[in-house]
Every structure is written in structure tokens, then in C-alpha cells.
Amino acid sequence: MKKSNIFFSVLMAGSLLAGCGIQSAPPDKSAPAPTAQTAKDTKNPQQAVNQPPTPVVVKRIGAHDVQIEMTAQETDVEIAPGVKYHSWNFNGTVPGPVIKVKQGDTIHFKLKNMDPKIPHSMDFHAVTAAPNKDFANVAPNKEGEFTYTAENPGVFMYHCGTAPVLMHIANGMYGTILVQPKDGYPTDKRINKEFVITESEVYKQNDFNDMKNGSPSYVLFNGKTTEANKPLYAKVGDWVRIYFNNVGPNDVSSFHVVGTQFDTVYVDGNPQNVLHGLQSYAVPASGGLVVEFQVKKEGIYPIVDHEFSKATKGAIMKLVVTKDGNPPQQ
């Protein structure tokens, strides 16, 4: 089967799933939360739909070398209409941009800390590094340059590693980095649509005690709650691949797509870690996953964290399957 219309989503979509018996709780405006970007892409996995374009942060400078430049900053982001969160983030969005490199690439990374008061850093789970040197703090209004190698394929988290790490992640300093397998995935030829989903938790603004001991006020898919996300689309018969990353910072996710089973699962996104025929998969905080399934009928397929206390806090989005893969005409 020929690949067509492959796209990545750096922020994905939901809304009340009428007829599916699933809905999220109304936004709690007393406990605001962070945002991100929206579904996408065909050629540029760094650019999001329904948002201002996200600058491309990965530049290939050689056969096995890439250059990545990012900023650490503070930005107000919106999780739902009227609900904003003053986030710490990378490149002005929550999550930060999806980064895509190849297995074996050497990453030449520059972090510009635009925060005038707080040091920040970068911890790439996808690389081999000496953390005290390669993930070192960058002082306010300074730049840091680091080099490391992405040796293993998969779906990995990146985040600020500055203490207290919990506060930096919970405030929005995280994202997903995809390391493409050197020889691809065995199932590449059948895939028609691809999406990236990042799950995260939101706690009370800058309340470290709540981050340590509380229950999240919101649980987000790609930085937004159900009502703020927009649908993803596929057509009848498509094979769909989802790159899933649970950044936490605290909880396990029970990842599930209502109405289908996962034909193939690559744990942590590594093609050597393959399973078949699963209904859900538990992904720890900082864990990754690749799932593949075929959509055989028209309809709405809710994508959820099947720990439904989290789904009701926003961890729902919908995959809409139509005859042609396009939104219905208004």
C-alpha cells in the first residue's frame, strides 16, 4: 500500500464525543493550565495546523549531523477558551516543537535562555550524554551549546532538567523527539496517516506542593483539553500510526483508541520491542509508544487515557474516519 497524506500532529484534537458516552469535565478556571499546538503535517513535521507556524528547529548540516536551536522562555498559553496558564516552555509553545532526527545522528544543540531570572537546561532522553556537562544549566539571558548522539530509535521525551525538575516540567518545559530507526519500521509501507500525541498533567500555577502531592487539575493531549482540540481525520481503510509520549510528570497513562485494537505496538518506539493485538498499553511517565491500527468503518474513534479520571480532565481527542479522509462539508 502506498503511503499518502502522511502527517504529524503536534497538538491534537478532541471535543465532546457525542454518541460515544465520553466527555470531559467543564474547565476549572480556578486552576489554569498549559497549551501547545495542533494537528498536522505533510512535509514539515515542525509546523502545526490552526496555530501560527512553529519555526523549524532541526536543520540537517551533514549526512549524520543535525543542528537544533531552541529557546527557553515564559509565555501565556491557552488550554481551553478563557483558560490560560503562564507557562515556562521551549520555543513559546507547550509542548515544545516535535523534533525528528535519524538513528545515529549527532545533534549539535544550542539553547538560548530568554528568561531574565531563572536558569534552564535541556535533557534529551534520546541521546547518550554526561548529564552534568551535556544537560548543564544555561544562565538567564545566556546561550549554551552541546553535542551528543542519538544512538537508539524511538519516541522520547525532552524536558528542562533544572532543579526542581518537577516544577520545570509541570510548568510546560517538555516535548517529544522522534528518532527514526536506521532501517525504518517493518510496517512502514502500509501506513497512510501518522500523528504525534503528547500527554501531560497540569497542576495549580507554580504550586510546588500541589505538583508533589496533589491530583492534576487537567490532563492534556498535546497541550489542550478535549474542548480545545480539533479532530484528526483518516479515511476508511487507512492504516494509522500514532507516536505517543507520556511526559507526566507524575502519572502512568493507559493509552487506548475506542473502537479498534492495536495491530502492532512498538514499546518506546523501538522496532525490536514489538507486540501484537493489544487493547491498551500502560505508558509510564517519560515513556514512549508507537501503535498501529486499521480503521475499517466511518465514524468517530475516541483516543483516550483509559484511566477515566484523566479522560474527564481533558485527555480525550477524536479521530474522525470518513470516506475520503476529509472533514464533512459545512
Side-chain angles (χ1 to χ4, degrees), residues 8-13 95 98 155-156 174-176 178 194-200 220-224 229 232 240-247 253 255-257 283 287-289 291 293 302-305 315-319:
F8 287 84
S9 118
V10 189
L11 234 209
M12 299 204 357
V98 171
V155 179
F156 299 99
Y174 59 81
T176 296
L178 307 178
E194 295 183 323
F195 307 96
V196 175
I197 302 176
T198 301
E199 180 172 340
S200 60
L220 312 179
F221 278 155
N222 287 348
K224 292 186 182 292
N229 272 315
L232 304 172
V240 175
R241 173 184 287 165
I242 296 176
Y243 300 88
F244 178 72
N245 182 20
N246 177 28
V247 304
S253 171
F255 189 68
H256 176 73
V257 179
V283 184
L289 195 66
V291 300
F293 54 93
I303 301 168
V304 304
D305 184 332
I316 308 170
M317 55 182 59
K318 62 182 178 181
L319 172 64

Side-chain angles (χ1 to χ4, degrees), residues 59-209:
K59 180 181 180 181
R60 185 156 294 279
I61 57 175
H64 304 291
D65 291 86
V66 296
Q67 185 178 67
I68 299 174
E69 297 186 6
M70 299 179 72
T71 61
Q73 59 194 79
E74 296 186 23
T75 309
D76 287 338
V77 293
E78 188 175 56
I79 181 175
V83 181
K84 291 186 177 181
Y85 188 94
H86 185 72
S87 71
W88 305 351
N89 60 66
F90 293 110
N91 284 40
T93 64
V94 181
V98 171
I99 295 172
K100 186 179 179 184
V101 300
K102 296 178 181 178
Q103 182 182 2
D105 276 346
T106 296
I107 296 173
H108 304 269
F109 177 66
K110 179 186 288 187
L111 179 64
K112 182 178 182 180
N113 185 3
M114 299 171 63
D115 193 315
K117 297 180 180 179
I118 303 172
H120 294 294
S121 61
M122 176 61 81
D123 178 343
F124 282 118
H125 285 207
V127 305
T128 301
N132 63 315
K133 298 178 181 179
D134 299 322
F135 300 155
N137 286 344
V138 177
N141 295 317
K142 299 293 183 180
E143 294 183 358
E145 296 190 29
F146 310 91
T147 302
Y148 18 61
T149 302
E151 296 182 352
N152 294 304
V155 179
F156 299 99
M157 176 182 182
Y158 67 77
H159 63 89
C160 182
T162 300
V165 177
L166 173 58
M167 178 168 280
H168 286 251
I169 296 175
N171 271 334
M173 302 196 78
Y174 59 81
T176 296
I177 176 169
L178 307 178
V179 181
Q180 296 176 291
K182 189 177 300 182
D183 299 318
Y185 291 96
T187 47
D188 277 346
K189 290 184 179 180
R190 73 182 182 184
I191 300 301
N192 305 105
K193 292 288 179 71
E194 295 183 323
F195 307 96
V196 175
I197 302 176
T198 301
E199 180 172 340
S200 60
E201 303 143 23
V202 174
Y203 298 84
K204 293 176 182 177
Q205 178 82 56
N206 287 331
D207 187 331
F208 193 53
N209 188 62

